[in-house]
Amino acid sequence: MPANSKYLNSSFWPRFSKITAAILGGYFVSVTFHLALASCFNRANVLITMAFSGFILWVALMIIAFLAKSGWKIWGIYILLSLLFCLFIYLGQTYNTAQ
């Protein structure tokens, strides 16, 4: 049974923005989040844990991107989150130089 056509979006750019936000944006948020944790806590433990929790977080962010109404809005949220985590990485490396 095919999907109802009123729920399908036939234009290219909304689909492209959701797909790229899901794959690339979710990956950037997942990696920067774990690197921000690694800059504040024990680096080895966080990076080993990232092998499992990073994938789970990435999949959750992919699902959120496809549930969003606008792909461009979710891209904006993911970019802002990545920049925020990059700020935490910078501050963590600046103030935790003893690790």
Side-chain angles (χ1 to χ4, degrees):
M1 183 167 147
N4 193 343
S5 62
K6 71 178 181 179
Y7 297 114
L8 299 176
N9 195 346
S10 61
S11 62
F12 173 74
W13 289 109
R15 270 188 291 146
F16 179 76
S17 64
K18 280 188 178 184
I19 291 169
T20 56
I23 296 171
L24 294 176
Y27 179 74
F28 292 152
V29 171
S30 177
V31 168
T32 55
F33 172 72
H34 284 90
L35 289 177
L37 287 178
S39 68
C40 296
F41 298 112
N42 187 358
R43 186 171 312 225
N45 291 341
V46 172
L47 293 179
I48 289 171
T49 306
M50 183 185 161
F52 302 106
S53 63
F55 180 73
I56 294 169
L57 180 61
W58 186 26
V59 170
L61 291 169
M62 281 185 182
I63 293 170
I64 290 170
F66 284 114
L67 291 177
K69 297 237 182 240
S70 171
W72 300 113
K73 193 179 293 186
I74 202 73
W75 252 122
I77 292 170
Y78 284 174
I79 288 173
L80 287 176
L81 282 173
S82 294
L83 290 175
L84 179 71
F85 293 142
C86 285
L87 176 68
F88 289 153
I89 293 167
Y90 173 74
L91 292 175
Q93 288 179 351
T94 302
Y95 294 115
N96 295 329
T97 58
Q99 290 182 355

